[in-house]
Amino acid sequence: MPAGSPPEKIEPKSLDDYLDVMSKAVFQSGISWKVVEAKWPGTREAFHNFNVNEVSAFDDQEIDALTQDTRVIRNYRKLNAVVSNAQKMLSLDQEYDGFKNYLRAHGDFDATLNAIRKDFKFMGPTGIYYFLYVVGEPVPPHGEFESTYSK
């Protein structure tokens, strides 16, 4: 997470909100948070405000077009991960009768982290911590997380 103050929490109103936050975590992997923040308004536009139904329907041609779009971070694997994650999010939302139910089905932070790592692309421990924190799910104190997962 960026140095300084923690990111602002949100109360997700729909799957689109979850996809927005998760996608920011995907793009932040290995890239300056400032770069991601600067590009985020254009990224939202390019991904139709992270409308999960629209994004999940992106085809290879649309993903290829995004690799030429200067509004976004043009990493094919990350662009493709956003589409794949939207598809998985829709599937889990249906399977668990709500995505929040999926997030809370695992019992504790460690189990939730492992489930998200397995189910979603480009989501490592720091990205998952950021995602869960921002969407208001329980996370351990940051120092405790760092000492456990930053090895």
Side-chain angles (χ1 to χ4, degrees), residues 55-126:
V55 173
S56 69
F58 280 20
D59 60 21
D60 290 340
Q61 228 176 349
E62 288 168 293
I63 297 169
D64 286 341
L66 285 173
T67 66
Q68 305 304 312
D69 190 331
T70 58
R71 295 177 297 173
V72 303
I73 294 166
R74 296 172 289 172
N75 178 306
Y76 179 84
R77 290 177 58 223
K78 290 182 179 187
L79 295 166
N80 191 56
V82 171
V83 175
S84 174
N85 290 348
Q87 293 164 348
K88 187 67 175 182
M89 196 173 279
L90 282 169
S91 170
L92 291 168
D93 181 62
Q94 188 166 22
E95 180 181 340
Y96 284 84
D97 194 29
F99 191 70
K100 185 181 276 194
N101 293 334
Y102 160 77
L103 293 175
R104 296 183 175 178
H106 309 290
D108 65 17
F109 175 77
D110 196 53
T112 303
L113 182 141
N114 288 327
I116 293 171
R117 277 185 97 163
K118 179 178 75 66
D119 290 330
F120 294 95
K121 294 182 178 181
F122 263 94
M123 291 296 288
T126 302

Side-chain angles (χ1 to χ4, degrees), residues 124-143:
T126 302
I128 294 167
Y129 185 92
Y130 166 84
F131 169 72
L132 291 172
Y133 176 86
V134 171
V135 299
E137 292 298 316
V139 295
H142 193 259

